[in-house]
Amino acid sequence: TQLLEQSPQFLSIQEGENLTVYCNSSSVFSSLQWYRQEPGEGPVLLVTVVTGGEVKKLKRLTFQFGDARKDSSLHITAAQPGDTGLYLCAGSTRNTGKLIFGQGTTLQVKP
Amino acid sequence: KAGVTQTPRYLIKTRGQQVTLSCSPISGHRSVSWYQQTPGQGLQFLFEYFSETQRNKGNFPGRFSGRQFSNSRSEMNVSTLELGDSALYLCASSRDITSGANVLTFGAGSRLTVL
């Protein structure tokens, strides 16, 4: 059974702090995606990484895919209250609609 | 362009009843996937349909079923509802590509409460 473990599960920080969320698995994924979900809404895709060692930046967010394609991290620099939400990593082994999701990291950024 | 539309957004049912949820994908998207989201289990894959055929299935009992129509719209049905079926049911659509990563666009979900 493929599993994705995210850590930490909960994170409460002050505005301006940096943080990193981790997503780990014993399985190899062909691609890994990060989503953010706000209350009452569905997850919204932030980024997709497909190459081992790949690093992608989206403004203050930096995403990294592990060399072995088993793990990923999301780093947020100078967090803002608007970053508050549930962050989900999701892995895929085939080009289908079946994604394996991590449990999610609930981030609260206090002003 | 219009996003993924799910109806109804909220519904309340009692144990033993059945429920049908609907999903209209983004125009041109032929793949529709369904997920169940609960606080304890997170997002769990239910099934995926492509061109009216179930292509993948998660580990849910037979009470959970779905179908896809020729216009790519999809429905899922849960029969003999149990308290544990209370959840946010999310539908996602994608274009279905043959290389690279398939990007899913999620709807806002249908929140089911079973009393």
Side-chain angles (χ1 to χ4, degrees):
Chain A
T1 303
Q2 295 173 309
L3 290 173
L4 272 171
E5 295 183 358
Q6 270 187 253
S7 62
Q9 278 191 297
F10 302 97
L11 200 51
S12 181
I13 62 174
Q14 293 295 136
E15 181 176 1
E17 292 185 6
N18 302 331
L19 67 116
T20 302
V21 177
Y22 298 93
C23 180
N24 295 293
S25 176
S26 58
S27 301
V28 176
F29 292 98
S30 58
S31 67
L32 201 137
Q33 302 176 348
W34 285 91
Y35 292 82
R36 189 174 86 185
Q37 184 178 20
E38 298 188 21
E41 300 295 329
V44 175
L45 180 69
L46 294 174
V47 77
T48 300
V49 285
V50 297
T51 305
E54 183 176 3
V55 177
K56 280 192 174 179
K57 291 191 175 183
L58 185 66
K59 296 183 180 178
R60 295 176 293 100
L61 278 60
T62 301
F63 305 85
Q64 185 163 8
F65 201 11
D67 291 341
R69 305 207 312 274
K70 293 182 179 182
D71 57 87
S72 181
S73 64
L74 157 61
H75 182 78
I76 300 179
T77 304
Q80 298 177 1
D83 296 327
T84 293
L86 176 66
Y87 288 81
L88 297 154
C89 66
S92 173
T93 56
R94 292 184 295 164
N95 292 323
T96 70
K98 180 179 180 180
L99 293 180
I100 307 299
F101 279 85
Q103 289 288 79
T105 296
T106 299
L107 171 65
Q108 180 188 42
V109 182
K110 293 177 282 189
Chain B
K1 60 181 176 183
V4 178
T5 303
Q6 290 189 247
T7 57
R9 287 293 309 273
Y10 304 92
L11 67 165
I12 300 174
K13 294 285 187 177
T14 56
R15 280 182 299 174
Q17 286 187 312
Q18 67 94 25
V19 66
T20 299
L21 308 177
S22 179
C23 173
S24 293
I26 291 175
S27 178
H29 284 195
R30 297 167 64 192
S31 169
V32 174
S33 303
W34 289 88
Y35 291 80
Q36 180 196 65
Q37 186 175 29
T38 59
Q41 298 297 319
L43 269 148
Q44 302 285 313
F45 173 77
L46 280 157
F47 27 65
E48 181 204 6
Y49 287 87
F50 177 76
S51 292
E52 302 178 65
T53 301
Q54 188 179 85
R55 184 160 66 175
N56 281 295
K57 189 177 188 302
N59 298 321
F60 279 82
R63 300 185 296 107
F64 292 80
S65 63
R67 58 178 175 169
Q68 186 180 32
F69 303 95
S70 58
N71 61 358
S72 293
R73 190 177 70 85
S74 178
E75 289 181 348
M76 69 162 283
N77 183 275
V78 188
S79 62
T80 319
L81 284 166
E82 301 176 359
L83 295 179
D85 297 333
S86 295
L88 180 67
Y89 289 88
L90 291 162
C91 166
S93 74
S94 64
R95 279 188 300 167
D96 197 64
I97 58 176
T98 56
S99 63
N102 211 3
V103 175
L104 300 187
T105 302
F106 283 87
S110 292
R111 183 164 295 283
L112 169 65
T113 301
V114 182
L115 301 176

